[in-house]
Amino acid sequence: AIGYREIIHYIQGEIELDEAVRLIKRRTRKFVRRQVNWYKIDDPRIQWFDMNPATKEKIIEYIQSPGGWRNE
């Protein structure tokens, strides 16, 4: 998980808190870039959902549908 290593180094007195925060932000940006490169918006294997209050029902409907996640 992102951040554990940096916080442990901070707790052990190896780095300052602002350095730990800077490193966590950098690792988070790198992680996001890898995810963006891996998961393409136009990949037909991925069902994307807009997150809003009605999304829960749409996700349940998709999972339970004949072509949904549970039935592949």
Side-chain angles (χ1 to χ4, degrees), residues 15-72:
I15 60 175
E16 297 293 325
L17 181 59
D18 59 335
E19 177 68 5
V21 170
R22 188 185 69 74
L23 293 171
I24 291 168
K25 288 179 180 181
R26 180 172 45 161
R27 288 189 65 212
T28 300
R29 284 191 300 273
K30 286 182 177 184
F31 176 77
V32 168
R33 279 196 302 271
R34 284 193 308 271
Q35 294 299 302
V36 168
N37 288 331
W38 185 263
Y39 297 110
K40 300 295 183 186
I41 194 75
D42 59 347
D43 188 334
R45 299 169 297 170
I46 300 174
Q47 174 64 46
W48 296 101
F49 295 94
D50 292 325
M51 295 309 295
N52 61 54
T55 302
K56 178 183 171 185
E57 295 304 320
K58 290 180 183 179
I59 293 171
I60 291 170
E61 182 180 309
Y62 172 74
I63 290 171
Q64 294 175 341
S65 70
W69 173 74
R70 289 175 45 187
N71 302 309
E72 291 181 350

